[in-house]
Amino acid sequence: MDGVHAGRTALVTGAARGIGLSIARALAQGGARVALVDRLPADEPAATLPGSRAFSCDLADPDAIATLLDEVAAWGRCDMLVHAAGLFPTTPADTLTLDAWRRVFAVNLDAAMLLAQGLAPAMRSGGWGRMVMISSGTIGVPRREVAAYVASKMGLIGLTRALASDLGADGITANAVAPGFVSTEGTREKFDRIDALASSIAACQSIPRLATPEEIASAVSFLCSDGAAMISGQTWMVDGGWHRL
């Protein structure tokens, strides 16, 4: 994949660690310079990616997103958007507060729309753009106590299809990638007995092992390439056959 993204600039959210960081690394390996966006510090990983830079942003705050877009525009035009950031609270649906629901949607879905709106004009003027939204395999096999998460990740797929429809004539594609269960820093912090959980999920897949963050990043990297110019409005399940559609 070396050179496939040469001369391009990408904005990747949730890029301080986990899947987001793997995506940033894959795009940088392909020659892109990357804006690593996260509320957590991302300066250290950004320093290892040539020409890249870390940007701090609370994606639940529209004003912070507006500031981020101004800062990134001053740094250079972005050709690629990958929204990998996401909140994953576990609360029963019948006790979930409206404030908690809205915060999940603010980060997982609203931020994706605001970033797409902010970056689309420059992509349109250049006649080329790639948008990839990271959804989730839980959209098809939802777990308990993740109502806001699953609803927001389903919303990302609807947003992806709308963006593909509205921007396709301008040379901009929009797709979603829905990973299966991936062992990352975030999931290891979130779940007790993660090895048993991972094993039970892997046993349901046609490929009986978990995907790595790098394998998710590989799919995203392809969707951001010239080779994916005729792929838009799609949802790629990168889950080892957890879903057999």
Short mmCIF file of all heavy atoms in Angstrom, two decimals, residues 28-71:
data_model
loop_
_atom_site.label_atom_id
_atom_site.label_comp_id
_atom_site.label_asym_id
_atom_site.label_seq_id
_atom_site.Cartn_x
_atom_site.Cartn_y
_atom_site.Cartn_z
N ALA A 28 -0.85 6.86 6.87
CA ALA A 28 0.49 7.44 6.80
C ALA A 28 1.46 6.51 6.07
O ALA A 28 2.30 6.97 5.29
CB ALA A 28 1.00 7.74 8.21
N GLN A 29 1.32 5.21 6.29
CA GLN A 29 2.16 4.26 5.58
C GLN A 29 1.94 4.36 4.08
O GLN A 29 2.86 4.15 3.29
CB GLN A 29 1.87 2.84 6.06
CG GLN A 29 2.75 1.77 5.39
CD GLN A 29 2.39 0.36 5.83
OE1 GLN A 29 1.48 0.15 6.62
NE2 GLN A 29 3.11 -0.61 5.34
N GLY A 30 0.72 4.70 3.68
CA GLY A 30 0.41 4.87 2.27
C GLY A 30 0.83 6.21 1.72
O GLY A 30 0.57 6.50 0.55
N GLY A 31 1.46 7.04 2.54
CA GLY A 31 1.99 8.30 2.06
C GLY A 31 1.22 9.53 2.47
O GLY A 31 1.62 10.65 2.13
N ALA A 32 0.10 9.38 3.18
CA ALA A 32 -0.69 10.54 3.60
C ALA A 32 -0.07 11.19 4.82
O ALA A 32 0.62 10.55 5.62
CB ALA A 32 -2.12 10.11 3.93
N ARG A 33 -0.31 12.47 4.96
CA ARG A 33 -0.08 13.10 6.25
C ARG A 33 -1.42 13.13 6.96
O ARG A 33 -2.47 13.27 6.33
CB ARG A 33 0.53 14.49 6.11
CG ARG A 33 -0.36 15.54 5.49
CD ARG A 33 0.31 16.91 5.54
NE ARG A 33 -0.64 17.96 5.22
CZ ARG A 33 -0.47 19.22 5.56
NH1 ARG A 33 0.61 19.60 6.23
NH2 ARG A 33 -1.37 20.13 5.23
N VAL A 34 -1.38 12.99 8.28
CA VAL A 34 -2.61 12.71 9.01
C VAL A 34 -2.80 13.69 10.16
O VAL A 34 -1.86 13.95 10.93
CB VAL A 34 -2.60 11.27 9.56
CG1 VAL A 34 -3.93 10.95 10.26
CG2 VAL A 34 -2.34 10.26 8.45
N ALA A 35 -3.99 14.24 10.27
CA ALA A 35 -4.41 15.00 11.44
C ALA A 35 -5.02 14.00 12.42
O ALA A 35 -6.10 13.46 12.17
CB ALA A 35 -5.43 16.07 11.06
N LEU A 36 -4.31 13.72 13.51
CA LEU A 36 -4.79 12.77 14.52
C LEU A 36 -5.61 13.55 15.54
O LEU A 36 -5.07 14.36 16.31
CB LEU A 36 -3.62 12.07 15.21
CG LEU A 36 -2.84 11.04 14.39
CD1 LEU A 36 -1.80 11.73 13.51
CD2 LEU A 36 -2.15 10.02 15.30
N VAL A 37 -6.90 13.33 15.55
CA VAL A 37 -7.83 14.09 16.40
C VAL A 37 -8.30 13.21 17.54
O VAL A 37 -8.78 12.08 17.33
CB VAL A 37 -9.03 14.59 15.58
CG1 VAL A 37 -10.04 15.30 16.49
CG2 VAL A 37 -8.57 15.50 14.46
N ASP A 38 -8.20 13.73 18.76
CA ASP A 38 -8.65 12.96 19.92
C ASP A 38 -8.74 13.90 21.11
O ASP A 38 -8.07 14.95 21.12
CB ASP A 38 -7.70 11.81 20.24
CG ASP A 38 -8.39 10.64 20.93
OD1 ASP A 38 -8.96 10.85 22.02
OD2 ASP A 38 -8.37 9.53 20.38
N ARG A 39 -9.55 13.53 22.09
CA ARG A 39 -9.54 14.26 23.35
C ARG A 39 -8.36 13.83 24.20
O ARG A 39 -7.87 14.59 25.04
CB ARG A 39 -10.86 14.00 24.10
CG ARG A 39 -11.10 14.96 25.25
CD ARG A 39 -12.48 14.79 25.84
NE ARG A 39 -12.70 13.44 26.32
CZ ARG A 39 -13.77 13.05 27.02
NH1 ARG A 39 -14.72 13.94 27.27
NH2 ARG A 39 -13.91 11.82 27.41
N LEU A 40 -7.89 12.60 23.99
CA LEU A 40 -6.69 12.12 24.66
C LEU A 40 -5.45 12.64 23.94
O LEU A 40 -5.51 12.95 22.75
CB LEU A 40 -6.67 10.58 24.66
CG LEU A 40 -7.82 9.88 25.38
CD1 LEU A 40 -7.75 8.39 25.13
CD2 LEU A 40 -7.77 10.18 26.87
N PRO A 41 -4.31 12.74 24.62
CA PRO A 41 -3.09 13.21 23.97
C PRO A 41 -2.68 12.27 22.83
O PRO A 41 -2.62 11.06 23.00
CB PRO A 41 -2.05 13.19 25.10
CG PRO A 41 -2.85 13.24 26.36
CD PRO A 41 -4.11 12.49 26.08
N ALA A 42 -2.40 12.86 21.66
CA ALA A 42 -1.98 12.08 20.49
C ALA A 42 -0.67 12.59 19.92
O ALA A 42 -0.28 12.19 18.83
CB ALA A 42 -3.07 12.10 19.42
N ASP A 43 0.02 13.45 20.66
CA ASP A 43 1.26 14.02 20.15
C ASP A 43 2.33 12.96 19.94
O ASP A 43 3.07 13.01 18.94
CB ASP A 43 1.78 15.09 21.11
CG ASP A 43 0.84 16.27 21.23
OD1 ASP A 43 0.91 17.16 20.38
OD2 ASP A 43 0.01 16.27 22.17
N GLU A 44 2.42 12.01 20.86
CA GLU A 44 3.47 10.99 20.74
C GLU A 44 3.29 10.12 19.50
O GLU A 44 4.23 9.97 18.71
CB GLU A 44 3.51 10.13 22.01
CG GLU A 44 4.66 9.13 22.03
CD GLU A 44 4.76 8.40 23.34
OE1 GLU A 44 4.22 8.89 24.35
OE2 GLU A 44 5.41 7.32 23.37
N PRO A 45 2.09 9.55 19.25
CA PRO A 45 1.95 8.78 18.00
C PRO A 45 2.08 9.65 16.75
O PRO A 45 2.62 9.21 15.74
CB PRO A 45 0.56 8.15 18.12
CG PRO A 45 -0.15 8.92 19.16
CD PRO A 45 0.90 9.41 20.10
N ALA A 46 1.59 10.89 16.82
CA ALA A 46 1.69 11.77 15.65
C ALA A 46 3.14 12.02 15.28
O ALA A 46 3.47 12.13 14.09
CB ALA A 46 0.97 13.09 15.93
N ALA A 47 4.01 12.09 16.29
CA ALA A 47 5.42 12.37 16.03
C ALA A 47 6.09 11.24 15.27
O ALA A 47 7.16 11.45 14.65
CB ALA A 47 6.15 12.62 17.35
N THR A 48 5.49 10.04 15.30
CA THR A 48 6.10 8.90 14.59
C THR A 48 5.62 8.81 13.14
O THR A 48 6.11 7.96 12.39
CB THR A 48 5.75 7.58 15.30
OG1 THR A 48 4.35 7.32 15.18
CG2 THR A 48 6.12 7.66 16.78
N LEU A 49 4.67 9.66 12.74
CA LEU A 49 4.10 9.61 11.40
C LEU A 49 4.55 10.86 10.64
O LEU A 49 4.16 11.97 10.98
CB LEU A 49 2.57 9.55 11.46
CG LEU A 49 1.98 8.43 12.32
CD1 LEU A 49 0.46 8.50 12.30
CD2 LEU A 49 2.47 7.07 11.87
N PRO A 50 5.35 10.70 9.61
CA PRO A 50 5.94 11.85 8.91
C PRO A 50 4.90 12.86 8.44
O PRO A 50 3.89 12.50 7.82
CB PRO A 50 6.65 11.21 7.71
CG PRO A 50 6.95 9.82 8.15
CD PRO A 50 5.79 9.42 9.02
N GLY A 51 5.13 14.13 8.78
CA GLY A 51 4.27 15.22 8.33
C GLY A 51 2.95 15.32 9.04
O GLY A 51 2.13 16.19 8.71
N SER A 52 2.70 14.46 10.02
CA SER A 52 1.40 14.42 10.68
C SER A 52 1.40 15.29 11.94
O SER A 52 2.43 15.75 12.41
CB SER A 52 1.02 12.98 11.02
OG SER A 52 0.88 12.22 9.83
N ARG A 53 0.20 15.50 12.48
CA ARG A 53 0.06 16.40 13.63
C ARG A 53 -1.13 15.99 14.47
O ARG A 53 -2.14 15.50 13.94
CB ARG A 53 -0.12 17.84 13.12
CG ARG A 53 -0.32 18.87 14.23
CD ARG A 53 -0.51 20.26 13.66
NE ARG A 53 -1.08 21.17 14.65
CZ ARG A 53 -1.47 22.41 14.39
NH1 ARG A 53 -1.36 22.90 13.17
NH2 ARG A 53 -1.98 23.15 15.36
N ALA A 54 -1.00 16.18 15.78
CA ALA A 54 -2.10 15.89 16.70
C ALA A 54 -2.94 17.14 16.93
O ALA A 54 -2.41 18.25 17.03
CB ALA A 54 -1.55 15.40 18.03
N PHE A 55 -4.26 16.94 17.00
CA PHE A 55 -5.20 18.02 17.30
C PHE A 55 -6.09 17.55 18.45
O PHE A 55 -6.68 16.46 18.37
CB PHE A 55 -6.07 18.35 16.09
CG PHE A 55 -5.33 18.97 14.95
CD1 PHE A 55 -4.65 18.18 14.03
CD2 PHE A 55 -5.30 20.35 14.79
CE1 PHE A 55 -3.98 18.75 12.96
CE2 PHE A 55 -4.62 20.93 13.72
CZ PHE A 55 -3.95 20.13 12.81
N SER A 56 -6.21 18.36 19.48
CA SER A 56 -7.07 18.03 20.61
C SER A 56 -8.46 18.58 20.38
O SER A 56 -8.63 19.74 19.96
CB SER A 56 -6.49 18.62 21.90
OG SER A 56 -7.34 18.34 23.00
N CYS A 57 -9.48 17.75 20.62
CA CYS A 57 -10.86 18.22 20.41
C CYS A 57 -11.84 17.36 21.20
O CYS A 57 -11.75 16.14 21.20
CB CYS A 57 -11.22 18.16 18.92
SG CYS A 57 -12.85 18.83 18.52
N ASP A 58 -12.78 18.04 21.86
CA ASP A 58 -13.92 17.36 22.47
C ASP A 58 -15.02 17.30 21.42
O ASP A 58 -15.69 18.30 21.14
CB ASP A 58 -14.40 18.12 23.71
CG ASP A 58 -15.61 17.47 24.37
OD1 ASP A 58 -16.07 16.42 23.87
OD2 ASP A 58 -16.10 18.02 25.37
N LEU A 59 -15.20 16.14 20.83
CA LEU A 59 -16.13 16.00 19.71
C LEU A 59 -17.59 16.09 20.13
O LEU A 59 -18.49 16.10 19.28
CB LEU A 59 -15.87 14.69 18.98
CG LEU A 59 -14.52 14.62 18.24
CD1 LEU A 59 -14.26 13.21 17.75
CD2 LEU A 59 -14.48 15.61 17.08
N ALA A 60 -17.86 16.18 21.42
CA ALA A 60 -19.23 16.39 21.89
C ALA A 60 -19.61 17.87 21.84
O ALA A 60 -20.79 18.21 22.03
CB ALA A 60 -19.39 15.88 23.32
N ASP A 61 -18.64 18.74 21.54
CA ASP A 61 -18.84 20.18 21.57
C ASP A 61 -18.78 20.75 20.16
O ASP A 61 -17.71 20.80 19.55
CB ASP A 61 -17.76 20.82 22.45
CG ASP A 61 -17.90 22.33 22.57
OD1 ASP A 61 -18.76 22.92 21.90
OD2 ASP A 61 -17.11 22.92 23.34
N PRO A 62 -19.91 21.19 19.60
CA PRO A 62 -19.89 21.74 18.23
C PRO A 62 -18.94 22.92 18.06
O PRO A 62 -18.33 23.08 17.00
CB PRO A 62 -21.35 22.16 18.00
CG PRO A 62 -22.14 21.29 18.93
CD PRO A 62 -21.28 21.13 20.14
N ASP A 63 -18.81 23.75 19.09
CA ASP A 63 -17.89 24.88 19.00
C ASP A 63 -16.45 24.40 18.90
O ASP A 63 -15.64 24.98 18.15
CB ASP A 63 -18.05 25.81 20.19
CG ASP A 63 -19.38 26.55 20.20
OD1 ASP A 63 -19.96 26.75 19.10
OD2 ASP A 63 -19.85 26.93 21.29
N ALA A 64 -16.12 23.35 19.63
CA ALA A 64 -14.77 22.79 19.56
C ALA A 64 -14.51 22.19 18.19
O ALA A 64 -13.39 22.30 17.66
CB ALA A 64 -14.58 21.73 20.65
N ILE A 65 -15.53 21.59 17.59
CA ILE A 65 -15.37 21.04 16.24
C ILE A 65 -15.14 22.17 15.24
O ILE A 65 -14.31 22.06 14.34
CB ILE A 65 -16.60 20.20 15.85
CG1 ILE A 65 -16.65 18.94 16.73
CG2 ILE A 65 -16.56 19.82 14.38
CD1 ILE A 65 -17.90 18.10 16.53
N ALA A 66 -15.86 23.28 15.38
CA ALA A 66 -15.67 24.42 14.49
C ALA A 66 -14.24 24.95 14.60
O ALA A 66 -13.60 25.27 13.58
CB ALA A 66 -16.68 25.51 14.82
N THR A 67 -13.73 25.03 15.82
CA THR A 67 -12.35 25.46 16.02
C THR A 67 -11.38 24.48 15.39
O THR A 67 -10.40 24.87 14.74
CB THR A 67 -12.05 25.61 17.52
OG1 THR A 67 -12.92 26.61 18.08
CG2 THR A 67 -10.60 26.01 17.76
N LEU A 68 -11.64 23.19 15.58
CA LEU A 68 -10.80 22.15 14.98
C LEU A 68 -10.75 22.31 13.46
O LEU A 68 -9.66 22.26 12.85
CB LEU A 68 -11.34 20.77 15.34
CG LEU A 68 -10.74 19.59 14.56
CD1 LEU A 68 -9.29 19.36 14.96
CD2 LEU A 68 -11.57 18.33 14.77
N LEU A 69 -11.89 22.51 12.84
CA LEU A 69 -11.95 22.64 11.38
C LEU A 69 -11.14 23.85 10.91
O LEU A 69 -10.45 23.79 9.88
CB LEU A 69 -13.39 22.73 10.92
CG LEU A 69 -14.19 21.43 11.01
CD1 LEU A 69 -15.69 21.69 10.84
CD2 LEU A 69 -13.71 20.42 9.98
N ASP A 70 -11.19 24.94 11.67
CA ASP A 70 -10.39 26.12 11.32
C ASP A 70 -8.90 25.81 11.44
O ASP A 70 -8.10 26.20 10.57
CB ASP A 70 -10.74 27.29 12.23
CG ASP A 70 -12.11 27.89 11.93
OD1 ASP A 70 -12.64 27.64 10.82
OD2 ASP A 70 -12.66 28.60 12.81
N GLU A 71 -8.52 25.11 12.50
CA GLU A 71 -7.11 24.78 12.72
C GLU A 71 -6.60 23.84 11.63
O GLU A 71 -5.49 24.01 11.12
CB GLU A 71 -6.92 24.14 14.09
CG GLU A 71 -7.16 25.09 15.26
CD GLU A 71 -7.12 24.38 16.59
OE1 GLU A 71 -7.17 23.11 16.61
OE2 GLU A 71 -7.04 25.06 17.63
#
